[in-house]
Amino acid sequence: MASADKPINTDVPEKDVFALHFLQSLSNLRRQNTFDSPEKTNDRVKKIKKAAYVSMARAAGGTNRLWSRALLRRAAKENNKVVRFPRRKKRVTCLRRRSNRRDPVEEEEAERLRNLVPGGGGMGTSKLMEETAHYIKCLSMQVKVMQCLVDGLAPK
Amino acid sequence: MDPSLVNDSSFSPANPSSYTLSEIWPFPVNDAVRSGLRLAVNSTPSDKDVSTAAAAAAAAEESTVTDLTAGWGGRKARALNSEEDESSKMVSLSSSGNEVVRFVRFCDDLNVVVSVDLKDSGEKKRKLCGSESGNGDGSMKPEGETSSGGGSKATEQKNKPEPPKDYIHVRARRGQATDRHSLAERARREKISEKMTALQDIIPGCNKIIGKALVLDEIINYIQSLQRQVEFLSMKLEVVNSGPSTGPTIGVFPTGDLGTLPIDLHRNIYEQQEANESRGSHPEWLHMQVDGSFNRTT
């Protein structure tokens, strides 16, 4: 790592990009669901939720963020699709540092974070914090956008 | 001629930015030495300045007395040896509280070797370069590495005041596993706590909480509430989506623009959803009042 600590780099995700993707996926879903059946409501809910997350992952981080990658991979696996990411060259130092990353004092707290944030298992604690910050920003952005969508699409 | 170790006791503690020449170098110096030292002492803690100071000092130097090496800047010590067992290092005193000091080592005229034994937060001692001139070159490179490791971790060193010692002595640098591990541990922990403060700024209401565990609890609660909100909103959206005439009135709070959504509203929604989750059926939480205007996002 650089000797001078760079300011924590969390780009604020763009609402427009996310909204665009989300609306596209929503319209796709709407075209699919031509029938109303109460049993499938939960499925639809899940689909919408997944679409929301996927579009958020695509819009917010692209493939530059670990959690977005994990999200996309997980979503693709459910659809039986294979996702390819441009692999960055793995440096040896990264591998070597992994053995040292955990500290028993902080580990219990980090464990809970890892369960929450997607892709948390493969990150060191320091990286986890960064991803958490970015994830929180994206989540709040997503909530706001969805809120406005609901307002906007609901009939008066 | 072996440089003899000089024991000196005058080293002022806890005064990192006000070293005067008399304090650190209580010996009679001639002009060349004085100029060299003065340049070194007054240098700001940046690599460039020190190396230029070293270069300037070396340039303005009379020939025989001192040899200065720019040991600080390039993380490597080049010994400008005019004689065989001569090597010297630069004094650089940083005023930022880092107390990594290396001394100019003069030979010949003064016959002294002065160095500083630093304590690093009590866990270990930062050992400086070897005292032997024969070891000068050999030990200078690991010393450079130490300083590079130390420089990078310099911000994490505690600003421990120099205890008044009976003697200042030179130790050969050990730099073994324990020292480096504790340094690395400290650096890691610093980084993590710095990121946690960054997280604290994001999450509202986390500034007042002190203590890592509580802050982490807050963070986890916040993430969970956000995720539940997403689920809740997706349920709403699903109702909106399915159905030609998007169904019953969906009640929301007056939200208005995207940017000014206060976080308390989120909490309210979240709690409401929690209360409604127990009912378990769709239409009930939809029968709410709607009011307010809304803005489209696109």
Side-chain angles (χ1 to χ4, degrees), chain B residues 9-29:
Chain B
S9 63
S10 65
F11 202 90
S12 71
N15 223 349
S17 55
S18 66
Y19 289 128
T20 61
L21 185 56
S22 55
E23 286 177 5
I24 61 170
W25 195 253
F27 307 106
V29 295

Side-chain angles (χ1 to χ4, degrees), chain B residues 164-216:
Chain B
K165 297 177 73 77
D166 272 347
Y167 56 95
I168 309 175
H169 55 275
V170 180
R171 295 255 180 93
R173 173 194 165 274
R174 272 192 286 154
Q176 280 315 311
T178 54
D179 298 349
R180 205 172 279 248
H181 275 189
S182 59
L183 261 188
E185 276 291 320
R186 181 183 316 278
R188 232 184 104 258
R189 249 178 271 137
E190 283 285 329
K191 243 186 272 180
I192 290 184
S193 65
E194 174 185 329
K195 298 201 174 145
M196 277 225 310
T197 48
L199 270 179
Q200 261 185 310
D201 297 335
I202 295 181
I203 301 179
C206 236
N207 287 328
K208 308 157 193 160
I209 303 184
I210 307 183
K212 266 200 321 189
L214 296 177
V215 168
L216 271 173

Side-chain angles (χ1 to χ4, degrees), chain A residues 1 3 5-8 10 15-16 19-20 22-23 26-27 29-30 33 36 40-41 44-45 48-49 52-53 100-103 106 109-110 112-113 116-118 125-127 129-130 132-137 139-140 142-156, chain B residues 151-152 155-156 181 185 188-189 191-192 194-196 198-199 202-203 212-213 216-217 219-220 222-224 226-227 229-231 233-238 240-250 252-253 255-259 261 266 269 282 290 292-298:
Chain A
M1 295 290 278
S3 58
D5 279 339
K6 297 180 277 197
I8 313 280
T10 50
K15 307 174 194 158
D16 321 327
L20 186 65
F22 193 36
L23 280 175
L26 270 186
S27 62
L29 284 175
R30 186 175 184 141
N33 298 332
D36 269 3
K40 297 204 176 156
T41 307
R44 284 192 299 217
V45 169
I48 290 192
K49 190 166 73 156
Y53 277 118
N100 253 351
R101 68 183 158 158
R102 304 221 168 159
D103 183 12
E106 310 159 338
E109 314 141 356
R112 284 184 284 170
L113 264 185
L116 276 185
V117 178
T125 308
S126 141
K127 195 84 168 129
M129 297 286 181
E130 278 187 43
T132 307
H134 195 252
Y135 185 58
I136 290 181
K137 278 194 186 169
L139 265 187
S140 52
Q142 185 185 31
V143 164
K144 287 180 194 169
V145 168
M146 285 176 75
Q147 184 79 63
C148 287
L149 276 182
V150 164
D151 296 342
L153 294 178
K156 279 272 226 173
Chain B
S152 67
T155 52
E156 285 93 23
H181 275 189
E185 276 291 320
R188 232 184 104 258
R189 249 178 271 137
K191 243 186 272 180
I192 290 184
E194 174 185 329
K195 298 201 174 145
M196 277 225 310
L199 270 179
I202 295 181
I203 301 179
K212 266 200 321 189
L216 271 173
D217 283 344
I219 294 177
I220 290 179
Y222 190 66
I223 297 183
Q224 278 175 343
L226 280 181
Q227 284 176 342
Q229 275 173 17
V230 168
E231 199 169 329
L233 284 173
S234 68
M235 271 200 276
K236 274 197 188 170
L237 266 180
E238 186 260 332
V240 165
N241 222 9
S242 70
S245 71
T246 57
T249 63
I250 304 185
V252 287
F253 295 96
T255 49
D257 0 345
L258 273 179
L261 207 52
H266 282 276
I269 296 177
H282 250 200
V290 62
S293 58
F294 50 85
N295 281 338
R296 299 224 172 214
T297 60
T298 52

Side-chain angles (χ1 to χ4, degrees), chain B residues 66-217:
Chain B
T66 59
D67 290 335
L68 301 173
T69 56
W72 184 258
R75 302 282 189 248
K76 240 199 278 192
R78 286 174 287 117
L80 314 171
N81 289 339
S82 72
E83 299 179 16
E84 44 179 315
D85 49 355
E86 253 182 66
S87 58
S88 49
K89 294 170 292 290
M90 223 11 213
V91 177
S92 70
L93 298 172
S94 63
S95 57
S96 66
N98 303 339
E99 301 200 317
V100 183
V101 176
R102 282 182 277 165
F103 276 108
V104 181
R105 180 165 136 198
F106 299 102
C107 68
D108 211 353
D109 262 355
L110 306 172
N111 266 349
V112 291
V113 169
V114 181
S115 66
V116 167
D117 184 10
L118 288 182
K119 279 209 182 329
D120 181 33
S121 74
E123 289 173 310
K124 67 167 196 66
K125 286 187 183 172
R126 162 77 41 92
K127 311 289 189 296
L128 294 180
C129 260
S131 57
E132 293 305 312
S133 54
N135 291 346
D137 283 335
S139 60
M140 252 193 271
K141 208 180 275 186
E143 197 263 341
E145 288 170 9
T146 311
S147 71
S148 75
S152 67
K153 317 239 177 352
T155 52
E156 285 93 23
Q157 282 181 18
K158 277 207 206 140
N159 189 8
K160 190 139 176 130
E162 290 285 340
K165 297 177 73 77
D166 272 347
Y167 56 95
I168 309 175
H169 55 275
V170 180
R171 295 255 180 93
R173 173 194 165 274
R174 272 192 286 154
Q176 280 315 311
T178 54
D179 298 349
R180 205 172 279 248
H181 275 189
S182 59
L183 261 188
E185 276 291 320
R186 181 183 316 278
R188 232 184 104 258
R189 249 178 271 137
E190 283 285 329
K191 243 186 272 180
I192 290 184
S193 65
E194 174 185 329
K195 298 201 174 145
M196 277 225 310
T197 48
L199 270 179
Q200 261 185 310
D201 297 335
I202 295 181
I203 301 179
C206 236
N207 287 328
K208 308 157 193 160
I209 303 184
I210 307 183
K212 266 200 321 189
L214 296 177
V215 168
L216 271 173
D217 283 344

Side-chain angles (χ1 to χ4, degrees), chain A residues 95-111:
Chain A
L95 291 178
R96 208 192 318 147
R97 226 176 255 161
R98 269 178 155 214
S99 59
N100 253 351
R101 68 183 158 158
R102 304 221 168 159
D103 183 12
V105 178
E106 310 159 338
E107 206 32 49
E108 314 117 26
E109 314 141 356
E111 188 66 29

